[in-house]
Amino acid sequence: MILEGGKTPRDTFFYYIMGNLEAVRDKEWKLHVAKDGKPVRLLYHISEDPGEQENVYESHPEIVKHLEHSLEECRYELGDALTGIKGTQIRPIGRVENPHPLAEYDINHPYVVMMYDREEVG
């Protein structure tokens, strides 16, 4: 697991804000195609520029092409509100008749009464 110091099996990560696909990261490269819902063309070599200060979009067309292809695949599967593309792998929201919460508040149950609040414990 990542939190235990392990490595992720993924090299590519997609950045959504709300339903807008705004960027993709693949290993040491990150391509932004939107910021705040507006189109942009920004490419960063994040292993050398982790603060994303130097846009190298124009000088690496082969990297841009590769990352744009990844974005198109993602849009096809998950959709993108900015481009109006509905994803093919989107499922409808789950609905349950007569929903019932998984946990209920019970003043007498120990998980809501802390031990330090109980007079007999101190």
Side-chain angles (χ1 to χ4, degrees):
M1 298 190 91
I2 294 173
L3 297 177
E4 296 170 355
K7 288 192 164 197
T8 177
R10 305 197 193 311
D11 289 327
T12 307
F13 300 90
F14 298 96
Y15 297 79
Y16 276 86
I17 295 182
M18 304 301 281
N20 303 330
L21 180 56
E22 295 208 347
V24 58
R25 177 181 173 179
D26 188 352
K27 299 178 185 110
E28 60 195 47
W29 296 96
K30 187 173 180 186
L31 175 67
H32 291 264
V33 293
K35 281 197 179 234
D36 301 320
K38 296 179 180 127
V40 295
R41 292 183 170 156
L42 305 170
L43 178 68
Y44 299 105
H45 192 201
I46 57 176
S47 63
E48 294 178 11
D49 179 19
E52 299 182 8
Q53 300 298 307
E54 183 183 354
N55 180 11
V56 295
Y57 185 93
E58 297 297 331
S59 58
H60 294 283
E62 70 288 348
I63 300 295
V64 169
K65 184 177 180 179
H66 169 73
L67 294 175
E68 284 178 342
H69 178 73
S70 295
L71 285 168
E72 287 304 313
E73 288 179 342
C74 182
R75 282 186 184 109
Y76 176 76
E77 290 182 9
L78 301 179
D80 179 16
L82 283 173
T83 58
I85 296 174
K86 305 266 187 207
T88 60
Q89 301 299 313
I90 303 299
R91 63 179 184 218
I93 293 174
R95 301 278 184 204
V96 177
E97 287 185 37
N98 303 315
H100 187 74
L102 298 175
E104 293 181 359
Y105 179 75
D106 179 355
I107 193 65
N108 296 314
H109 197 279
Y111 76 83
V112 295
V113 178
M114 300 298 146
M115 294 304 284
Y116 52 78
D117 287 337
R118 296 179 64 187
E119 290 182 17
E120 68 270 18
V121 175

PDB file of all heavy atoms in Angstrom, residues 16 18-21 33 68-90:
ATOM      1  N   TYR A  16      -9.391  15.916 -11.943  1.00  0.00           N
ATOM      2  CA  TYR A  16     -10.716  16.476 -12.194  1.00  0.00           C
ATOM      3  C   TYR A  16     -11.025  17.516 -11.129  1.00  0.00           C
ATOM      4  O   TYR A  16     -10.681  17.343  -9.966  1.00  0.00           O
ATOM      5  CB  TYR A  16     -11.785  15.386 -12.087  1.00  0.00           C
ATOM      6  CG  TYR A  16     -11.986  14.566 -13.327  1.00  0.00           C
ATOM      7  CD1 TYR A  16     -11.202  13.457 -13.587  1.00  0.00           C
ATOM      8  CD2 TYR A  16     -12.984  14.895 -14.231  1.00  0.00           C
ATOM      9  CE1 TYR A  16     -11.401  12.690 -14.719  1.00  0.00           C
ATOM     10  CE2 TYR A  16     -13.193  14.135 -15.369  1.00  0.00           C
ATOM     11  CZ  TYR A  16     -12.400  13.032 -15.609  1.00  0.00           C
ATOM     12  OH  TYR A  16     -12.604  12.286 -16.738  1.00  0.00           O
ATOM     13  N   MET A  18     -14.581  19.091 -10.034  1.00  0.00           N
ATOM     14  CA  MET A  18     -15.989  18.833 -10.312  1.00  0.00           C
ATOM     15  C   MET A  18     -16.006  17.819 -11.461  1.00  0.00           C
ATOM     16  O   MET A  18     -15.347  16.819 -11.364  1.00  0.00           O
ATOM     17  CB  MET A  18     -16.753  20.109 -10.612  1.00  0.00           C
ATOM     18  CG  MET A  18     -16.653  21.149  -9.506  1.00  0.00           C
ATOM     19  SD  MET A  18     -17.265  20.594  -7.908  1.00  0.00           S
ATOM     20  CE  MET A  18     -19.013  20.751  -8.132  1.00  0.00           C
ATOM     21  N   GLY A  19     -16.701  18.069 -12.532  1.00  0.00           N
ATOM     22  CA  GLY A  19     -16.709  17.122 -13.648  1.00  0.00           C
ATOM     23  C   GLY A  19     -15.743  17.493 -14.748  1.00  0.00           C
ATOM     24  O   GLY A  19     -15.789  16.927 -15.841  1.00  0.00           O
ATOM     25  N   ASN A  20     -14.848  18.454 -14.488  1.00  0.00           N
ATOM     26  CA  ASN A  20     -13.933  18.960 -15.508  1.00  0.00           C
ATOM     27  C   ASN A  20     -12.583  18.262 -15.439  1.00  0.00           C
ATOM     28  O   ASN A  20     -11.901  18.324 -14.423  1.00  0.00           O
ATOM     29  CB  ASN A  20     -13.713  20.467 -15.337  1.00  0.00           C
ATOM     30  CG  ASN A  20     -14.994  21.257 -15.386  1.00  0.00           C
ATOM     31  OD1 ASN A  20     -15.955  20.875 -16.045  1.00  0.00           O
ATOM     32  ND2 ASN A  20     -15.023  22.364 -14.684  1.00  0.00           N
ATOM     33  N   LEU A  21     -12.197  17.634 -16.537  1.00  0.00           N
ATOM     34  CA  LEU A  21     -10.872  17.023 -16.635  1.00  0.00           C
ATOM     35  C   LEU A  21      -9.875  18.142 -16.931  1.00  0.00           C
ATOM     36  O   LEU A  21      -9.916  18.752 -17.996  1.00  0.00           O
ATOM     37  CB  LEU A  21     -10.846  15.973 -17.742  1.00  0.00           C
ATOM     38  CG  LEU A  21      -9.525  15.247 -17.980  1.00  0.00           C
ATOM     39  CD1 LEU A  21      -9.020  14.581 -16.706  1.00  0.00           C
ATOM     40  CD2 LEU A  21      -9.684  14.238 -19.097  1.00  0.00           C
ATOM     41  N   VAL A  33      -4.722  21.046 -19.282  1.00  0.00           N
ATOM     42  CA  VAL A  33      -5.500  21.470 -20.444  1.00  0.00           C
ATOM     43  C   VAL A  33      -6.573  22.465 -20.047  1.00  0.00           C
ATOM     44  O   VAL A  33      -7.219  23.059 -20.900  1.00  0.00           O
ATOM     45  CB  VAL A  33      -6.106  20.270 -21.192  1.00  0.00           C
ATOM     46  CG1 VAL A  33      -4.999  19.434 -21.837  1.00  0.00           C
ATOM     47  CG2 VAL A  33      -6.964  19.425 -20.276  1.00  0.00           C
ATOM     48  N   GLU A  68      -1.979  13.953 -24.425  1.00  0.00           N
ATOM     49  CA  GLU A  68      -3.300  14.260 -24.988  1.00  0.00           C
ATOM     50  C   GLU A  68      -4.045  12.982 -25.355  1.00  0.00           C
ATOM     51  O   GLU A  68      -5.258  12.903 -25.197  1.00  0.00           O
ATOM     52  CB  GLU A  68      -3.168  15.192 -26.189  1.00  0.00           C
ATOM     53  CG  GLU A  68      -2.876  16.625 -25.779  1.00  0.00           C
ATOM     54  CD  GLU A  68      -2.687  17.565 -26.953  1.00  0.00           C
ATOM     55  OE1 GLU A  68      -2.433  17.094 -28.092  1.00  0.00           O
ATOM     56  OE2 GLU A  68      -2.782  18.790 -26.726  1.00  0.00           O
ATOM     57  N   HIS A  69      -3.314  11.992 -25.822  1.00  0.00           N
ATOM     58  CA  HIS A  69      -3.934  10.695 -26.126  1.00  0.00           C
ATOM     59  C   HIS A  69      -4.493  10.068 -24.842  1.00  0.00           C
ATOM     60  O   HIS A  69      -5.608   9.538 -24.834  1.00  0.00           O
ATOM     61  CB  HIS A  69      -2.921   9.760 -26.793  1.00  0.00           C
ATOM     62  CG  HIS A  69      -3.465   8.409 -27.086  1.00  0.00           C
ATOM     63  ND1 HIS A  69      -4.368   8.175 -28.100  1.00  0.00           N
ATOM     64  CD2 HIS A  69      -3.253   7.217 -26.485  1.00  0.00           C
ATOM     65  CE1 HIS A  69      -4.690   6.887 -28.098  1.00  0.00           C
ATOM     66  NE2 HIS A  69      -4.016   6.283 -27.131  1.00  0.00           N
ATOM     67  N   SER A  70      -3.742  10.148 -23.763  1.00  0.00           N
ATOM     68  CA  SER A  70      -4.225   9.626 -22.469  1.00  0.00           C
ATOM     69  C   SER A  70      -5.472  10.371 -22.019  1.00  0.00           C
ATOM     70  O   SER A  70      -6.416   9.766 -21.507  1.00  0.00           O
ATOM     71  CB  SER A  70      -3.134   9.755 -21.402  1.00  0.00           C
ATOM     72  OG  SER A  70      -2.037   8.950 -21.699  1.00  0.00           O
ATOM     73  N   LEU A  71      -5.481  11.694 -22.209  1.00  0.00           N
ATOM     74  CA  LEU A  71      -6.663  12.491 -21.846  1.00  0.00           C
ATOM     75  C   LEU A  71      -7.879  12.066 -22.653  1.00  0.00           C
ATOM     76  O   LEU A  71      -8.982  11.961 -22.116  1.00  0.00           O
ATOM     77  CB  LEU A  71      -6.387  13.980 -22.061  1.00  0.00           C
ATOM     78  CG  LEU A  71      -5.491  14.650 -21.037  1.00  0.00           C
ATOM     79  CD1 LEU A  71      -5.063  16.026 -21.536  1.00  0.00           C
ATOM     80  CD2 LEU A  71      -6.178  14.764 -19.701  1.00  0.00           C
ATOM     81  N   GLU A  72      -7.693  11.830 -23.944  1.00  0.00           N
ATOM     82  CA  GLU A  72      -8.818  11.416 -24.790  1.00  0.00           C
ATOM     83  C   GLU A  72      -9.388  10.081 -24.332  1.00  0.00           C
ATOM     84  O   GLU A  72     -10.602   9.897 -24.303  1.00  0.00           O
ATOM     85  CB  GLU A  72      -8.399  11.349 -26.260  1.00  0.00           C
ATOM     86  CG  GLU A  72      -8.219  12.697 -26.893  1.00  0.00           C
ATOM     87  CD  GLU A  72      -9.459  13.583 -26.788  1.00  0.00           C
ATOM     88  OE1 GLU A  72     -10.569  13.119 -27.069  1.00  0.00           O
ATOM     89  OE2 GLU A  72      -9.306  14.752 -26.378  1.00  0.00           O
ATOM     90  N   GLU A  73      -8.521   9.145 -23.982  1.00  0.00           N
ATOM     91  CA  GLU A  73      -8.993   7.853 -23.473  1.00  0.00           C
ATOM     92  C   GLU A  73      -9.776   8.033 -22.176  1.00  0.00           C
ATOM     93  O   GLU A  73     -10.806   7.410 -21.973  1.00  0.00           O
ATOM     94  CB  GLU A  73      -7.811   6.907 -23.254  1.00  0.00           C
ATOM     95  CG  GLU A  73      -7.191   6.392 -24.526  1.00  0.00           C
ATOM     96  CD  GLU A  73      -6.014   5.472 -24.268  1.00  0.00           C
ATOM     97  OE1 GLU A  73      -5.445   5.481 -23.144  1.00  0.00           O
ATOM     98  OE2 GLU A  73      -5.649   4.726 -25.195  1.00  0.00           O
ATOM     99  N   CYS A  74      -9.275   8.900 -21.307  1.00  0.00           N
ATOM    100  CA  CYS A  74      -9.955   9.164 -20.043  1.00  0.00           C
ATOM    101  C   CYS A  74     -11.314   9.804 -20.287  1.00  0.00           C
ATOM    102  O   CYS A  74     -12.319   9.420 -19.681  1.00  0.00           O
ATOM    103  CB  CYS A  74      -9.083  10.050 -19.157  1.00  0.00           C
ATOM    104  SG  CYS A  74      -9.820  10.397 -17.549  1.00  0.00           S
ATOM    105  N   ARG A  75     -11.358  10.797 -21.175  1.00  0.00           N
ATOM    106  CA  ARG A  75     -12.635  11.446 -21.503  1.00  0.00           C
ATOM    107  C   ARG A  75     -13.642  10.428 -22.028  1.00  0.00           C
ATOM    108  O   ARG A  75     -14.813  10.478 -21.687  1.00  0.00           O
ATOM    109  CB  ARG A  75     -12.423  12.528 -22.556  1.00  0.00           C
ATOM    110  CG  ARG A  75     -11.849  13.780 -22.010  1.00  0.00           C
ATOM    111  CD  ARG A  75     -11.808  14.870 -23.097  1.00  0.00           C
ATOM    112  NE  ARG A  75     -11.171  16.040 -22.572  1.00  0.00           N
ATOM    113  CZ  ARG A  75      -9.960  16.463 -22.933  1.00  0.00           C
ATOM    114  NH1 ARG A  75      -9.274  15.813 -23.854  1.00  0.00           N
ATOM    115  NH2 ARG A  75      -9.447  17.543 -22.388  1.00  0.00           N
ATOM    116  N   TYR A  76     -13.185   9.532 -22.881  1.00  0.00           N
ATOM    117  CA  TYR A  76     -14.061   8.518 -23.459  1.00  0.00           C
ATOM    118  C   TYR A  76     -14.663   7.637 -22.359  1.00  0.00           C
ATOM    119  O   TYR A  76     -15.841   7.313 -22.386  1.00  0.00           O
ATOM    120  CB  TYR A  76     -13.287   7.672 -24.473  1.00  0.00           C
ATOM    121  CG  TYR A  76     -14.093   6.545 -25.051  1.00  0.00           C
ATOM    122  CD1 TYR A  76     -15.056   6.785 -26.024  1.00  0.00           C
ATOM    123  CD2 TYR A  76     -13.895   5.234 -24.627  1.00  0.00           C
ATOM    124  CE1 TYR A  76     -15.803   5.739 -26.547  1.00  0.00           C
ATOM    125  CE2 TYR A  76     -14.637   4.189 -25.146  1.00  0.00           C
ATOM    126  CZ  TYR A  76     -15.599   4.448 -26.111  1.00  0.00           C
ATOM    127  OH  TYR A  76     -16.339   3.411 -26.620  1.00  0.00           O
ATOM    128  N   GLU A  77     -13.845   7.262 -21.387  1.00  0.00           N
ATOM    129  CA  GLU A  77     -14.317   6.376 -20.325  1.00  0.00           C
ATOM    130  C   GLU A  77     -15.054   7.106 -19.210  1.00  0.00           C
ATOM    131  O   GLU A  77     -16.107   6.657 -18.759  1.00  0.00           O
ATOM    132  CB  GLU A  77     -13.143   5.601 -19.729  1.00  0.00           C
ATOM    133  CG  GLU A  77     -12.564   4.572 -20.673  1.00  0.00           C
ATOM    134  CD  GLU A  77     -11.436   3.784 -20.053  1.00  0.00           C
ATOM    135  OE1 GLU A  77     -11.201   3.898 -18.832  1.00  0.00           O
ATOM    136  OE2 GLU A  77     -10.772   3.047 -20.798  1.00  0.00           O
ATOM    137  N   LEU A  78     -14.503   8.229 -18.721  1.00  0.00           N
ATOM    138  CA  LEU A  78     -15.054   8.889 -17.534  1.00  0.00           C
ATOM    139  C   LEU A  78     -15.806  10.182 -17.823  1.00  0.00           C
ATOM    140  O   LEU A  78     -16.478  10.714 -16.944  1.00  0.00           O
ATOM    141  CB  LEU A  78     -13.928   9.175 -16.534  1.00  0.00           C
ATOM    142  CG  LEU A  78     -13.156   7.958 -16.043  1.00  0.00           C
ATOM    143  CD1 LEU A  78     -12.067   8.376 -15.081  1.00  0.00           C
ATOM    144  CD2 LEU A  78     -14.083   6.952 -15.405  1.00  0.00           C
ATOM    145  N   GLY A  79     -15.662  10.704 -19.037  1.00  0.00           N
ATOM    146  CA  GLY A  79     -16.353  11.930 -19.402  1.00  0.00           C
ATOM    147  C   GLY A  79     -15.582  13.172 -19.010  1.00  0.00           C
ATOM    148  O   GLY A  79     -14.573  13.122 -18.312  1.00  0.00           O
ATOM    149  N   ASP A  80     -16.089  14.309 -19.501  1.00  0.00           N
ATOM    150  CA  ASP A  80     -15.458  15.596 -19.229  1.00  0.00           C
ATOM    151  C   ASP A  80     -16.495  16.683 -19.474  1.00  0.00           C
ATOM    152  O   ASP A  80     -16.933  16.891 -20.605  1.00  0.00           O
ATOM    153  CB  ASP A  80     -14.250  15.796 -20.138  1.00  0.00           C
ATOM    154  CG  ASP A  80     -13.550  17.127 -19.942  1.00  0.00           C
ATOM    155  OD1 ASP A  80     -13.794  17.792 -18.914  1.00  0.00           O
ATOM    156  OD2 ASP A  80     -12.750  17.493 -20.824  1.00  0.00           O
ATOM    157  N   ALA A  81     -16.891  17.373 -18.429  1.00  0.00           N
ATOM    158  CA  ALA A  81     -17.903  18.422 -18.549  1.00  0.00           C
ATOM    159  C   ALA A  81     -17.429  19.579 -19.422  1.00  0.00           C
ATOM    160  O   ALA A  81     -18.232  20.194 -20.126  1.00  0.00           O
ATOM    161  CB  ALA A  81     -18.299  18.927 -17.160  1.00  0.00           C
ATOM    162  N   LEU A  82     -16.133  19.885 -19.394  1.00  0.00           N
ATOM    163  CA  LEU A  82     -15.617  21.005 -20.195  1.00  0.00           C
ATOM    164  C   LEU A  82     -15.806  20.790 -21.688  1.00  0.00           C
ATOM    165  O   LEU A  82     -16.077  21.729 -22.422  1.00  0.00           O
ATOM    166  CB  LEU A  82     -14.130  21.241 -19.904  1.00  0.00           C
ATOM    167  CG  LEU A  82     -13.809  21.953 -18.602  1.00  0.00           C
ATOM    168  CD1 LEU A  82     -12.305  21.975 -18.367  1.00  0.00           C
ATOM    169  CD2 LEU A  82     -14.361  23.359 -18.603  1.00  0.00           C
ATOM    170  N   THR A  83     -15.628  19.570 -22.139  1.00  0.00           N
ATOM    171  CA  THR A  83     -15.766  19.276 -23.560  1.00  0.00           C
ATOM    172  C   THR A  83     -17.141  18.707 -23.896  1.00  0.00           C
ATOM    173  O   THR A  83     -17.442  18.470 -25.061  1.00  0.00           O
ATOM    174  CB  THR A  83     -14.684  18.279 -24.016  1.00  0.00           C
ATOM    175  OG1 THR A  83     -14.793  17.089 -23.238  1.00  0.00           O
ATOM    176  CG2 THR A  83     -13.292  18.874 -23.878  1.00  0.00           C
ATOM    177  N   GLY A  84     -17.959  18.482 -22.874  1.00  0.00           N
ATOM    178  CA  GLY A  84     -19.300  17.954 -23.112  1.00  0.00           C
ATOM    179  C   GLY A  84     -19.334  16.472 -23.431  1.00  0.00           C
ATOM    180  O   GLY A  84     -20.339  15.955 -23.904  1.00  0.00           O
ATOM    181  N   ILE A  85     -18.241  15.772 -23.174  1.00  0.00           N
ATOM    182  CA  ILE A  85     -18.179  14.338 -23.472  1.00  0.00           C
ATOM    183  C   ILE A  85     -18.731  13.545 -22.293  1.00  0.00           C
ATOM    184  O   ILE A  85     -18.311  13.724 -21.157  1.00  0.00           O
ATOM    185  CB  ILE A  85     -16.731  13.904 -23.784  1.00  0.00           C
ATOM    186  CG1 ILE A  85     -16.257  14.599 -25.051  1.00  0.00           C
ATOM    187  CG2 ILE A  85     -16.626  12.393 -23.911  1.00  0.00           C
ATOM    188  CD1 ILE A  85     -14.798  14.371 -25.381  1.00  0.00           C
ATOM    189  N   LYS A  86     -19.697  12.683 -22.579  1.00  0.00           N
ATOM    190  CA  LYS A  86     -20.259  11.783 -21.575  1.00  0.00           C
ATOM    191  C   LYS A  86     -19.434  10.501 -21.594  1.00  0.00           C
ATOM    192  O   LYS A  86     -19.200   9.921 -22.641  1.00  0.00           O
ATOM    193  CB  LYS A  86     -21.712  11.441 -21.906  1.00  0.00           C
ATOM    194  CG  LYS A  86     -22.587  12.653 -22.066  1.00  0.00           C
ATOM    195  CD  LYS A  86     -23.258  12.973 -20.789  1.00  0.00           C
ATOM    196  CE  LYS A  86     -24.260  14.099 -21.027  1.00  0.00           C
ATOM    197  NZ  LYS A  86     -24.492  14.885 -19.876  1.00  0.00           N
ATOM    198  N   GLY A  87     -18.995  10.052 -20.446  1.00  0.00           N
ATOM    199  CA  GLY A  87     -18.177   8.843 -20.370  1.00  0.00           C
ATOM    200  C   GLY A  87     -18.969   7.576 -20.624  1.00  0.00           C
ATOM    201  O   GLY A  87     -20.143   7.476 -20.265  1.00  0.00           O
ATOM    202  N   THR A  88     -18.304   6.601 -21.244  1.00  0.00           N
ATOM    203  CA  THR A  88     -18.956   5.319 -21.517  1.00  0.00           C
ATOM    204  C   THR A  88     -18.976   4.410 -20.294  1.00  0.00           C
ATOM    205  O   THR A  88     -19.724   3.450 -20.252  1.00  0.00           O
ATOM    206  CB  THR A  88     -18.228   4.573 -22.653  1.00  0.00           C
ATOM    207  OG1 THR A  88     -16.870   4.345 -22.262  1.00  0.00           O
ATOM    208  CG2 THR A  88     -18.283   5.362 -23.948  1.00  0.00           C
ATOM    209  N   GLN A  89     -18.140   4.700 -19.296  1.00  0.00           N
ATOM    210  CA  GLN A  89     -18.048   3.847 -18.113  1.00  0.00           C
ATOM    211  C   GLN A  89     -18.729   4.464 -16.892  1.00  0.00           C
ATOM    212  O   GLN A  89     -18.458   4.048 -15.760  1.00  0.00           O
ATOM    213  CB  GLN A  89     -16.573   3.573 -17.795  1.00  0.00           C
ATOM    214  CG  GLN A  89     -15.825   2.900 -18.915  1.00  0.00           C
ATOM    215  CD  GLN A  89     -16.392   1.544 -19.268  1.00  0.00           C
ATOM    216  OE1 GLN A  89     -16.653   0.734 -18.382  1.00  0.00           O
ATOM    217  NE2 GLN A  89     -16.611   1.294 -20.538  1.00  0.00           N
ATOM    218  N   ILE A  90     -19.602   5.432 -17.099  1.00  0.00           N
ATOM    219  CA  ILE A  90     -20.296   6.085 -16.000  1.00  0.00           C
ATOM    220  C   ILE A  90     -21.554   5.296 -15.680  1.00  0.00           C
ATOM    221  O   ILE A  90     -22.324   4.952 -16.563  1.00  0.00           O
ATOM    222  CB  ILE A  90     -20.689   7.536 -16.376  1.00  0.00           C
ATOM    223  CG1 ILE A  90     -19.454   8.324 -16.788  1.00  0.00           C
ATOM    224  CG2 ILE A  90     -21.434   8.222 -15.240  1.00  0.00           C
ATOM    225  CD1 ILE A  90     -18.410   8.459 -15.723  1.00  0.00           C
TER     226      ILE A  90
END
